[in-house]
């Protein structure tokens, strides 16, 4: 299975009798990534697959009618619904995502829609020595090994028992990653692909409002090597550029966790005092994401 084709019915993508330049340019640009764009000239989508001997699971469909989306019902085809102003009364509810135009759509946007369809984890951030990606159910054994490292659970909650953690992970992938596009990610060594940490962003209800929280764990054998600084700097830059809807980033640290407090101060977080959270006293740090 590999993302190789973008297919479409040209008449569905035409507005006022012609395809917009932004759509045409997109279909040309994706060729440099090895993606073939092929129009469905006649017949149904299923007939198109048979005629061209193309695997549905290698394909992303751009459609503007419910009829065309109905033609892929039950098939492993990623889909984008185009809200074409010339075509009224089209709900496009079966599409994986809806767009009103293609000015901001590029190869990476298409690739991520394809990955979501096939439950392929998104590669989120690269640093000098690491990369951060979404987790999957298959990552749980390595995650347990990470949490078994010396001192890891001194300042963070341990994982649940296996079945409960598995259920939590499934729900987290479905609800957090899919809805918000961010969350807690795995930190992997760029050379060995070894799991060396866990870090990312979470939405948290605090004092009656929702805030954006940064969390991080680095494996015991990788601590004091600058990995936490490297990873957290990258997450901050991601949070600045992502459309999260938040203007501040928060961290909660136990007062005796001197290493994390020093890291946050180095990253220009500001202490806002102490609160009680989950039965523990915590020092609250914040970072302004949007310059005033």
């Amino acid at each position: 299975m590999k993302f190789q084709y973008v297919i479409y019915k040209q008449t569905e993508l035409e507005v006022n009798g012609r395809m917009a330049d932004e759509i045409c340019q997109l279909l040309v640009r994706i060729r440099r990534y090895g993606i073939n764009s092929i129009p469905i000239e006649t017949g149904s989508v299923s007939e198109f697959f048979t005629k061209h001997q193309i695997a549905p699971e290698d394909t992303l469909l751009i459609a503007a009618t419910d009829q065309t989306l109905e033609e892929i019902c039950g098939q492993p085809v990623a889909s984008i619904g185009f809200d074409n102003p010339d075509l009224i009364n089209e709900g496009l509810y079966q599409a994986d995502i809806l767009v009103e135009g293609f000015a901001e759509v590029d190869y990476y946007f298409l690739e991520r829609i394809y990955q979501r369809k096939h439950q392929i984890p998104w590669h989120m951030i690269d640093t000098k020595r690491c990369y951060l990606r979404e987790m999957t159910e298959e990552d749980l054994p390595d995650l347990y090994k990470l949490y078994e490292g010396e001192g890891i659970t001194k300042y963070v909650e341990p994982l649940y028992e296996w079945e409960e953690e598995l259920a939590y992970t499934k729900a987290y992938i479905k609800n957090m990653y899919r809805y918000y596009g961010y969350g807690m990610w795995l930190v992997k060594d760029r050379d060995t692909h070894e799991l060396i940490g866990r870090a990312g962003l979470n939405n948290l209800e605090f004092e009656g409002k929702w805030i954006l929280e940064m969390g991080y764990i680095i494996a015991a054998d990788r601590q004091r090597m600058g990995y936490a600084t490297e990873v957290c700097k990258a997450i901050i830059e991601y949070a600045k550029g992502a459309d999260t809807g938040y203007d501040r980033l928060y961290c909660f640290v136990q007062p005796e966790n001197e290493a994390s407090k020093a890291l946050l101060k180095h990253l220009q977080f500001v202490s806002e005092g102490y609160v009680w959270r989950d039965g523990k006293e915590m020092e609250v740090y914040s970072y302004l994401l949007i310059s005033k």
Side-chain angles (χ1 to χ4, degrees):
M1 182 176 67
K2 181 182 178 182
F3 179 30
Q4 299 185 69
Y5 306 99
V6 169
I7 63 175
Y8 58 94
K9 295 181 179 180
Q10 182 165 328
T11 54
E12 292 188 12
L13 304 190
E14 292 178 351
V15 179
N16 295 324
R18 63 183 295 272
M19 287 179 60
D21 290 341
E22 59 193 32
I23 301 178
C24 296
Q25 291 168 6
L26 170 66
L27 297 177
V28 171
R29 288 197 302 268
I30 60 177
R31 293 176 188 169
R32 70 183 67 172
Y33 299 97
I35 307 300
N36 297 302
S37 60
I38 309 176
I40 303 171
E41 296 177 348
T42 60
S44 69
V45 178
S46 294
E47 291 170 340
F48 171 87
F49 289 142
T50 301
K51 177 182 178 181
H52 293 274
Q53 296 185 326
I54 290 175
E57 60 269 23
D58 294 339
T59 306
L60 183 146
L61 168 71
I62 302 176
T65 68
D66 293 324
Q67 174 60 43
T68 298
L69 289 169
E70 183 66 28
E71 292 172 6
I72 63 168
C73 184
Q75 298 191 62
V77 181
S79 60
I80 293 177
F82 170 42
D83 187 11
N84 189 330
D86 285 359
L87 301 175
I88 61 174
N89 300 322
E90 300 290 347
L92 307 178
Y93 300 117
Q94 295 187 57
D96 294 320
I97 193 170
L98 296 178
V99 299
E100 295 183 349
F102 292 84
E104 298 182 2
V105 175
D106 58 11
Y107 164 76
Y108 297 104
F109 181 92
L110 301 180
E111 181 186 47
R112 287 192 165 185
I113 300 308
Y114 176 86
Q115 290 172 334
R116 275 285 181 263
K117 178 67 177 182
H118 298 288
Q119 300 180 354
I120 300 170
W122 286 2
H123 185 109
M124 301 301 301
I125 297 174
D126 286 302
T127 72
K128 182 178 180 180
R129 295 175 291 176
C130 317
Y131 64 90
L132 281 69
R133 73 155 170 82
E134 295 176 341
M135 71 173 296
T136 68
E137 298 169 32
E138 289 73 24
D139 292 311
L140 278 180
D142 287 339
L143 199 62
Y144 274 96
K145 291 180 183 178
L146 172 69
Y147 275 70
E148 290 169 359
E150 182 180 357
I152 293 297
T153 57
K154 183 177 181 180
Y155 297 117
V156 300
E157 294 296 321
L159 300 176
Y160 300 120
E161 294 298 322
W162 179 267
E163 291 301 327
E164 188 175 359
E165 187 67 34
L166 178 60
Y168 173 82
T169 299
K170 289 180 178 179
Y172 192 88
I173 292 170
K174 179 180 179 181
N175 298 316
M176 190 69 188
Y177 289 161
R178 283 184 175 272
Y179 188 79
Y180 293 102
Y182 58 82
M184 289 297 291
W185 304 307
L186 301 183
V187 181
K188 295 270 197 165
D189 184 290
R190 290 187 67 169
D191 295 326
T192 67
H193 305 291
E194 175 189 357
L195 178 64
I196 63 170
R198 190 181 193 185
L201 303 168
N202 262 327
N203 297 329
L204 174 71
E205 190 172 10
F206 175 65
E207 295 185 341
K209 67 176 183 179
W210 286 94
I211 63 172
L212 186 65
E213 177 189 28
M214 180 175 73
Y216 49 89
I217 299 171
I218 298 297
D221 62 348
R222 298 291 185 116
Q223 294 178 7
R224 299 180 180 85
M225 298 181 185
Y227 282 99
T229 301
E230 180 178 326
V231 168
C232 288
K233 281 184 176 180
I235 292 172
I236 291 169
E237 290 306 308
Y238 175 90
K240 286 179 178 179
D243 184 17
T244 65
Y246 296 99
D247 60 1
R248 285 184 180 273
L249 186 59
Y250 290 84
C251 282
F252 295 80
V253 182
Q254 294 183 44
E256 62 272 22
N257 189 349
E258 296 296 339
S260 283
K261 289 163 63 175
L263 169 63
L264 293 174
K265 291 174 183 177
H266 175 70
L267 295 172
Q268 305 301 311
F269 276 74
V270 176
S271 175
E272 295 192 358
Y274 296 85
V275 297
W276 282 92
R277 179 183 169 192
D278 299 329
K280 300 176 183 178
E281 185 182 40
M282 308 287 280
E283 188 169 1
V284 185
Y285 285 82
S286 72
Y287 181 97
L288 186 63
L289 295 171
I290 302 174
S291 300
K292 293 183 178 180

